[in-house]
Amino acid sequence: QVQLVESGGGLVQAGDSLRLSCSASPETYSPYTMAWFRQAPGKEREFVSAIKYDGRTVYYARSVKGRFTISSANTKNTVVSLQMNTLNSEDTAVYYCAATLSRPLADERRELTYAYWGRGTQVTVSS
């Protein structure tokens, strides 16, 4: 059973930066793809970004491309970070880490691709 723990959330002002991290355990597992989703109050959860095991293949939602950067801290893809720059109020949400251990049959941007989820970390951007 893979467990995911997010960290790094908080309250920032518009224009600020924040870095989220997600750790997968135990490290005997090597996630094929790790991803970030977010859910704003009153809205459905949406895809933010994903990174494959190779550390090079990445995906971004259009709303964050150019501002957010996803990266893997190790070759096993068990520690993933999301650097968020130029934050605005629309980025306020609970951010969830997700993982799949096998090559997904569905699109990396879809929730059903991921079998494992963290509990989320709150990001609040004040304007």
Side-chain angles (χ1 to χ4, degrees), residues 4 31-37 45 47 49-52 59 97-117:
L4 304 176
Y32 189 94
T33 303
M34 295 274 277
W36 288 96
F37 287 75
R45 189 155 57 183
F47 170 79
S49 183
I51 186 167
K52 278 189 172 179
Y59 308 86
C97 180
T100 177
L101 299 182
S102 58
R103 183 175 181 175
L105 299 177
D107 191 282
E108 284 82 358
R109 293 171 175 81
R110 299 183 66 183
E111 288 188 50
L112 58 82
T113 294
Y114 303 93
Y116 303 98
W117 292 82

Side-chain angles (χ1 to χ4, degrees), residues 19 28 37 61 65 73 94 105 111:
R19 188 178 183 88
T28 50
F37 287 75
K65 197 170 186 179
V94 177
L105 299 177
E111 288 188 50

Side-chain angles (χ1 to χ4, degrees), residues 23-91:
S23 296
S25 62
E27 287 198 351
T28 50
Y29 292 107
S30 296
Y32 189 94
T33 303
M34 295 274 277
W36 288 96
F37 287 75
R38 67 185 182 185
Q39 186 168 22
K43 295 186 178 181
E44 294 186 351
R45 189 155 57 183
E46 64 175 2
F47 170 79
V48 176
S49 183
I51 186 167
K52 278 189 172 179
Y53 66 93
D54 59 11
R56 299 188 303 273
T57 306
V58 295
Y59 308 86
Y60 294 101
R62 190 173 301 178
S63 60
V64 306
K65 197 170 186 179
R67 299 188 298 123
F68 291 11
T69 303
I70 192 169
S71 60
S72 184
N74 57 27
T75 57
K76 297 194 71 175
N77 211 27
T78 56
V79 180
V80 173
S81 296
L82 184 69
Q83 177 66 40
M84 306 185 295
N85 297 329
T86 320
L87 288 162
N88 59 62
S89 58
E90 293 185 350
D91 296 316

